[in-house]
Amino acid sequence: MVARTLGEDQLVVEDLSVNYGRIEAIRGVSFRVPERGIATLIGANGAGKTTTLKTISGLRAVRTGRILFEGEDITDIPSYKLVKRGLCQAPEGRGTFVGMTVEENLDMGAYTRADRKTKGYRDDLDRVFSLFPRLKERRSQYAGTMSGGEQQMLAIGRALMSRPRVLLLDEPSMGLAPKLIQQIFSIIVEINNQGTTVLLVEQNALQALRTADHAYVLETGEVVRSGPADELAADDSIRAAYLGGDV
């Protein structure tokens, strides 16, 4: 991982607990994401990774704890208001509007913006097309006719159209071929290099640790390990549990 100069903590999660009915999905989760950094949450299925992202995004109610975004408590702010403030998620499973074209999907990503007829909007569209040339080629194609990899690109591009300062990515490699996984993660690094902070939830722990600066390991709703991503990748117990014993 190329070293980056990181700023102050841009996103802070403190002692977060969330229930699904009587089931405690996450309990006492705390972590920090510095400005211009890439942090990752790794862990097995059911560890609470996606629930954590949904809670940060305002899609799940907090039982205890709080979430700070750029120093402001956003714990009870609804998701659509968080998008306006610069916090946006590209959800697990892509979630594209299958009956809309690529360009219409991207326009939906900018629905909170008041400048959709300006040069700034066009510049952002050009940025997405520069990151994802395939989307430019297929800008008039319906999303539902595209491959899984193309829909993943579209989901990330749509999130970028809201001009996020922090981008939450939930399982961006899910269901993709190895060649496409490498491409998606290269683009994530480029998005970060362009100034967007990234919080990444990823089942592919190897790719996540290669991409991130800092990592947090979740087990049954709790953070059980944390540290620089390269140090966790070199840890024998982490390799055995999440990396198949090898990196």
Side-chain angles (χ1 to χ4, degrees), residues 18-234:
V18 176
N19 280 25
Y20 284 113
R22 296 182 179 179
I23 299 173
E24 196 171 35
I26 56 175
R27 51 186 173 275
V29 167
S30 297
F31 60 86
R32 297 169 179 267
V33 185
E35 185 180 11
R36 296 186 298 276
I38 302 178
T40 186
L41 308 179
I42 64 171
N45 285 332
K49 305 186 302 296
T50 292
T51 297
T52 301
L53 277 200
K54 287 182 175 179
T55 305
I56 294 169
S57 298
L59 299 173
R60 289 285 180 268
V62 174
R63 183 172 64 81
T64 62
R66 65 175 186 163
I67 304 161
L68 303 176
F69 175 52
E70 298 179 342
E72 181 183 0
D73 191 331
I74 61 167
T75 307
D76 298 315
I77 295 177
S79 58
Y80 73 94
K81 291 186 177 181
L82 293 179
V83 172
K84 290 182 179 180
R85 291 172 185 238
L87 182 70
C88 189
Q89 178 175 345
E92 178 185 12
R94 292 132 203 170
T96 57
F97 300 106
V98 296
M100 293 183 176
T101 66
V102 166
E103 195 155 1
E104 288 169 340
N105 267 268
L106 294 175
D107 190 54
M108 287 297 292
Y111 79 97
T112 62
R113 294 173 55 173
D115 66 340
R116 290 159 75 179
K117 303 296 183 183
T118 69
K119 182 178 182 297
Y121 174 87
R122 293 191 296 273
D123 287 346
D124 288 338
L125 193 62
D126 288 342
R127 176 198 179 199
V128 170
F129 286 149
S130 175
L131 288 166
F132 303 102
R134 184 72 61 86
L135 297 184
K136 184 174 184 178
E137 295 170 6
R138 308 203 173 186
R139 62 195 301 168
S140 299
Q141 185 172 333
Y142 287 108
T145 66
M146 299 171 71
S147 70
E150 291 164 344
Q151 289 193 47
Q152 183 63 71
M153 295 175 189
L154 181 54
I156 297 173
R158 185 181 62 194
L160 290 175
M161 288 301 294
S162 71
R163 286 186 171 174
R165 295 190 297 282
V166 174
L167 178 63
L168 311 180
L169 294 175
D170 193 2
E171 303 284 7
S173 76
M174 180 180 289
L176 301 186
K179 184 177 180 179
L180 272 177
I181 291 173
Q182 295 287 344
Q183 183 179 357
I184 289 291
F185 275 91
S186 294
I187 292 168
I188 291 169
V189 171
E190 179 57 28
I191 290 168
N192 177 253
N193 288 339
Q194 292 179 6
T196 303
T197 303
V198 176
L199 175 58
L200 170 68
V201 157
E202 181 53 55
Q203 187 71 22
N204 188 328
L206 174 57
Q207 282 292 344
L209 293 174
R210 285 176 171 171
T211 303
D213 307 293
H214 207 85
Y216 298 85
V217 180
L218 267 66
E219 288 183 6
T220 59
E222 297 180 279
V223 174
V224 296
R225 290 285 304 277
S226 66
D230 55 353
E231 291 183 10
L232 290 187

